[in-house]
Amino acid sequence: MNKSTEQTLWGLLENITENLKGKRLADVFRFVSFCPSETYGPHKHLRIEINYVKKGNCILHLDDESVTFREGEIMIITSSINHLFEAGSEGTTLMQLEFLPEVFSYFNFKSEGGTAAFIPVTLFSEGNRLIKIVNNVCIMRVVQRIVNELELKSQYYQYLVVMYYAELLILIYRYMDESYLPICTNDSLKKAIAYIRFNYQSEITMNDVAEYAGISERYLRRLFSQYLNLSPLDYLNQMRINKAVELLRNTEMSVKEVCYLCGFQSPQYFSRIFKQQMGLSPREVAK
């Protein structure tokens, strides 16, 4: 890195930290435990809230739906969304991070033509008021690094935190690209994708997906073919393999453990589908 590039990088980091309101890189950063069935709320706030379920399980209640989160899963709650937290029957421990949306507003990604490709804050909108993330070790580790830096406050910690926020935003966008559909897609297809996304770890059938979406299996297959150019089962397996790759590369889990955690009922079938999609065996990816 030459001197001018170094000065530009440090200048950018200094500018971001100086311009954050009150220089608050986060309003909440902690590990917190809740007693069995303990509730908190209902409430809402301007902050974006990220909770990683470190232990136990919990339910997040919104005005018109309730979503269950298990150990290892992440919830991202948008600004100004009314929500109530309820701990599971055995209690819950969370890693919490809450920050104002303006933290992300400094990362305006540009397209090749020089115009804004997207505005990061729009990711956290009414349309994405609650994002559920399952088995994403990379996002969990970035959140943990932010919390650790904010707690320790070692020299230059604020610059590291800003860079971690940029990494966090990119990882969330990557997750959204892999797991969500464009806004313009069919409502029934959105429901089907949401069901698969939230239940891919379970032994689900395409009939289950079609029933949830309120359509026939035949129409379900037609929608997937029209919008995604693949079958519902192919999409389910694609999601499972994406999660399996992440776990194999970022954890010490065995191939068999990853197989069952990602919803496959047979290690042999898992290995066959994995090699079809990745061109490598699970053991080769895990090396």
Side-chain angles (χ1 to χ4, degrees):
M1 181 182 291
N2 58 43
K3 188 172 182 180
S4 61
T5 304
E6 183 179 354
Q7 289 175 340
T8 301
L9 174 61
W10 280 93
L12 174 62
L13 293 172
E14 181 67 25
N15 180 64
I16 292 174
T17 53
E18 285 295 324
N19 282 284
L20 286 172
K21 185 178 180 181
K23 298 185 182 179
R24 294 183 308 185
L25 292 170
D27 292 284
V28 176
F29 47 94
R30 62 179 180 175
F31 287 87
V32 59
S33 296
F34 295 88
C35 299
S37 302
E38 181 180 354
T39 61
Y40 185 79
H43 68 288
K44 59 183 178 180
H45 40 69
L46 291 175
R47 302 183 298 275
I48 293 171
E49 179 176 345
I50 301 179
N51 294 318
Y52 169 74
V53 183
K54 185 173 178 63
K55 183 178 179 182
N57 58 74
C58 58
I59 303 174
L60 193 74
H61 301 280
L62 305 181
D63 289 337
D64 57 355
E65 67 175 326
S66 297
V67 180
T68 299
F69 291 85
R70 299 176 178 84
E71 186 172 316
E73 297 180 346
I74 299 170
M75 68 183 82
I76 303 179
I77 309 166
T78 303
S79 301
S80 303
I81 297 299
N82 199 47
H83 58 281
L84 182 147
F85 173 86
E86 179 183 352
S89 59
E90 298 181 359
T92 311
T93 298
L94 301 177
M95 176 171 64
Q96 292 188 317
L97 176 66
E98 297 182 19
F99 54 92
L100 293 173
E102 64 189 65
V103 171
F104 280 160
S105 69
Y106 291 94
F107 307 122
N108 290 319
F109 293 79
K110 302 291 183 180
S111 65
E112 291 183 2
T115 58
F118 53 80
I119 304 300
V121 179
T122 61
L123 171 64
F124 306 97
S125 61
E126 175 63 26
N128 296 315
R129 58 181 182 166
L130 175 63
I131 300 171
K132 181 176 182 178
I133 298 175
V134 180
N135 288 343
N136 197 303
V137 179
C138 295
I139 291 178
M140 180 276 290
R141 286 178 175 169
V142 174
V143 173
Q144 188 165 39
R145 287 197 291 266
I146 292 172
V147 172
N148 289 343
E149 287 293 334
L150 289 170
E151 287 181 338
L152 293 173
K153 289 184 170 58
S154 300
Q155 190 174 20
Y156 306 124
Y157 79 94
Q158 65 271 32
Y159 300 139
L160 268 178
V161 170
V162 168
M163 289 192 289
Y164 289 151
Y165 272 129
E167 182 181 0
L168 176 62
L169 181 64
I170 292 169
L171 289 173
I172 293 172
Y173 262 100
R174 177 182 291 174
Y175 174 83
M176 297 290 281
D177 284 342
E178 293 174 351
S179 306
Y180 281 68
L181 287 176
I183 295 173
C184 62
T185 53
N186 180 280
D187 285 340
S188 295
L189 185 57
K190 285 183 181 180
K191 289 181 181 179
I193 290 294
Y195 186 86
I196 292 173
R197 181 163 51 85
F198 289 153
N199 297 281
Y200 74 88
Q201 291 177 292
S202 305
E203 189 175 356
I204 60 176
T205 67
M206 292 308 103
N207 184 61
D208 295 330
V209 178
E211 283 190 358
Y212 180 83
I215 56 178
S216 68
E217 282 191 61
R218 182 178 179 180
Y219 186 53
L220 178 71
R221 289 192 296 272
R222 186 191 305 169
L223 286 175
F224 270 83
S225 177
Q226 177 183 346
Y227 286 94
L228 299 179
N229 198 32
L230 76 174
S231 72
L233 181 59
D234 287 340
Y235 181 85
L236 171 61
N237 283 334
Q238 187 179 86
M239 170 162 285
R240 286 172 168 171
I241 294 302
N242 286 342
K243 300 303 178 184
V245 169
E246 182 180 350
L247 291 174
L248 290 169
R249 287 176 174 169
N250 295 287
T251 73
E252 299 300 319
M253 289 183 181
S254 68
V255 170
K256 191 173 183 179
E257 287 174 322
V258 170
C259 163
Y260 292 119
L261 186 59
C262 291
F264 290 97
Q265 303 303 308
S266 159
Q268 292 76 22
Y269 179 67
F270 169 59
S271 295
R272 178 160 61 86
I273 297 299
F274 193 100
K275 194 156 189 176
Q276 283 178 0
Q277 293 198 15
M278 302 301 299
L280 299 169
S281 70
R283 295 190 187 281
E284 289 175 311
V285 169
K287 289 180 180 179

